[in-house]
Amino acid sequence: MKSLTKNTLSYAVSIAASLTAASSTFAETITVATVNNGHMIEMQKLTPEFEKANPGIKVKWVTLEEGILRQNVTQDIANKSGLYDVMTIGMYEAPIWGDRGWLTPIDTSGAYDVEDILPSIRQGLSHEGTLYGAPFYGESSMVMYRKDLVKETGMTVSDRDSWEHIRDVVAAMHKPNDGVYGICLRGKAGWGDNMALMTTIANSFGARWFDEGWKPQLESAEWKNAVSFYVDLLSKYGPPGSSSNSFNESLALFNEGKCGMWIDATIAASFVTDPKQSKVADQVGFAQSPISATEKGANWLWSWSLAIPAATKQADAAQKFVRWATSKEYIELVGKTNGWAAVPTGTRSSTYANPKFQAAAVFAEAELKAINSADPTDSTLKPSPYVGVQFAAIPEFQAIGTTAGQMISGALSGSMSVDQALKSANNSANRQMRQAGYY
């Protein structure tokens, strides 16, 4: 009898081991396509924590440069290929693809606490009230300036200064012979490069991309005034070669102490206040973006989010991963593992309420104020038919915005006039919109 018991036990243990091996062999594998930046790389490093908590799911990563990522995920989702179970997309894609039925709505039930997500970020990733992208980190734009240089001028920089006042401050700080330029701004052509900034300036001057009948408005007085102001400001008080500069070039100049002021993404604040990266870390001040005719659309709104294509065959596993990576608990995990200065920002109210984050991020209040003030559903002074602050969330906008960026960069470099640039951009936009059947 004892021998039989021992054999039975041995057999049971053998079966259990076989089942465990089979479970591991047949674990669901989800493929995540993402952009190659610091926050996403950190998410990959912490993925074993997710797999430990979800032993039936394995995560495979496809990490790409931003341009290649956009191309690959757009092709995959349009063709319904199902290569990716989770993809990294932004505020431009989420409402468009959600409307087309290409994305699975994010499961926001229970402990996910969707109400904790900042309202402007939540709205920008939604279509008709349904969330199609879970925000991993978010940003707006704001003024970053040298407090020491502004003090020397006897002037001040405040929230929502007029663009004219900003010009006067910048002019007073501009000392190229001493290696300091009054202002650094994006000039490199691209719908997500110079046009992100240019659209916020145009918005504040009262401009809009399209009227209520979808007719392009790039030759309006508001656009001409805004672009003329931008070109004049950067030509007189910016660094040489501004038409080739984007975020990284301006960041390098500011951190070297060569810019009196920089207006760009709020995410830059963590870099310019880091003594390991910035020579002027202890002299950086922050203010809300300048205005002219209106505050509407004066600062942009963006979020990299995780989305689930409708073509995935691993929807349940994908939902579990997305909910984990964009949760309050994930942010806590990063804070405990790498310090609160390293957590992804711009997504949840609870992050900004956390004393540990407040202590680590001197820019937290200004960043949150900027994000909360941006409304993608009401970003223009005159009525407009589109959603988006620094872009219009329609499929045709990438081409329209890219062409406009090339023209305005040409005006900045002096190869054409502002009027010529806007006329060419408007003509191109008209062709695109007619061909797409908007009118």
Side-chain angles (χ1 to χ4, degrees), residues 267-285:
I267 198 172
S270 62
F271 306 135
V272 299
T273 56
D274 181 0
K276 295 178 182 178
Q277 302 182 53
S278 172
K279 293 181 179 179
V280 296
D282 61 342
Q283 292 294 338
V284 183

Side-chain angles (χ1 to χ4, degrees), residues 87-149:
M87 50 180 58
T88 306
I89 64 173
M91 283 190 170
Y92 174 73
E93 296 89 357
I96 297 174
W97 294 359
D99 181 40
R100 292 185 169 186
W102 291 354
L103 298 174
T104 297
I106 302 300
D107 177 7
T108 59
S109 63
Y112 186 70
D113 196 1
V114 68
E115 294 301 319
D116 186 49
I117 297 174
L118 301 174
S120 58
I121 298 294
R122 192 167 69 238
Q123 290 169 11
L125 294 169
S126 299
H127 175 69
E128 295 183 347
T130 299
L131 190 69
Y132 285 101
F136 186 68
Y137 74 84
E139 67 177 31
S140 184
S141 53
M142 65 182 177
V143 179
M144 294 162 279
Y145 64 94
R146 288 274 298 278
K147 292 186 289 187
D148 54 337
L149 297 184

Side-chain angles (χ1 to χ4, degrees), residues 128-397:
E128 295 183 347
T130 299
L131 190 69
Y132 285 101
F136 186 68
Y137 74 84
E139 67 177 31
S140 184
S141 53
M142 65 182 177
V143 179
M144 294 162 279
Y145 64 94
R146 288 274 298 278
K147 292 186 289 187
D148 54 337
L149 297 184
V150 171
K151 186 176 181 180
E152 288 176 10
T153 69
M155 306 173 80
T156 60
V157 174
S158 305
D159 287 351
R160 299 303 194 198
D161 276 333
S162 70
W163 271 107
E164 290 72 22
H165 177 72
I166 290 295
R167 178 192 58 206
D168 294 343
V169 174
V170 164
M173 288 191 293
H174 186 62
K175 297 179 181 179
N177 291 336
D178 296 335
V180 176
Y181 304 101
I183 193 164
C184 292
L185 297 172
R186 298 188 185 198
K188 185 179 180 181
W191 75 270
D193 279 300
N194 64 338
M195 292 315 296
L197 174 71
M198 188 65 251
T199 301
T200 62
I201 299 174
N203 289 341
S204 79
F205 272 71
R208 54 186 173 170
W209 275 96
F210 307 99
D211 68 13
E212 292 172 283
W214 289 105
K215 296 278 181 68
Q217 298 295 296
L218 289 161
E219 289 189 277
S220 67
E222 293 88 352
W223 267 102
K224 290 181 181 180
N225 291 338
V227 176
S228 296
F229 184 91
Y230 160 82
V231 168
D232 184 68
L233 181 71
L234 208 46
S235 297
K236 288 181 178 177
Y237 310 117
S242 288
S243 61
S244 299
N245 290 349
S246 189
F247 178 88
N248 288 330
E249 292 80 9
S250 295
L251 173 62
L253 286 165
F254 193 93
N255 279 350
E256 284 295 316
K258 295 183 178 180
C259 301
M261 183 179 293
W262 182 27
I263 302 173
D264 212 296
T266 54
I267 198 172
S270 62
F271 306 135
V272 299
T273 56
D274 181 0
K276 295 178 182 178
Q277 302 182 53
S278 172
K279 293 181 179 179
V280 296
D282 61 342
Q283 292 294 338
V284 183
F286 305 100
Q288 299 304 297
S289 292
I291 64 171
S292 182
T294 181
E295 292 186 12
K296 287 187 177 184
N299 44 284
W300 72 62
L301 190 68
W302 184 254
S303 173
W304 278 120
S305 72
L306 300 180
I308 302 170
T312 180
K313 293 180 174 61
Q314 318 281 357
D316 289 344
Q319 288 280 10
K320 287 180 181 178
F321 178 79
V322 168
R323 283 168 62 93
W324 170 79
T326 61
S327 66
K328 289 185 287 188
E329 291 73 22
Y330 176 83
I331 293 171
E332 287 277 352
L333 176 63
V334 177
K336 291 176 183 176
T337 306
N338 301 308
W340 278 92
V343 302
T345 62
T347 59
R348 289 184 171 272
S349 298
S350 55
T351 302
Y352 293 90
N354 191 312
K356 294 176 183 177
F357 176 69
Q358 292 173 4
V362 296
F363 53 86
E365 183 180 351
E367 178 183 59
L368 180 61
K369 190 173 183 179
I371 291 171
N372 282 341
S373 71
D375 184 355
T377 66
D378 185 22
S379 62
T380 58
L381 184 60
K382 296 178 181 178
S384 59
Y386 55 88
V387 172
V389 180
Q390 75 278 21
F391 58 83
I394 58 173
E396 295 74 22
F397 183 78

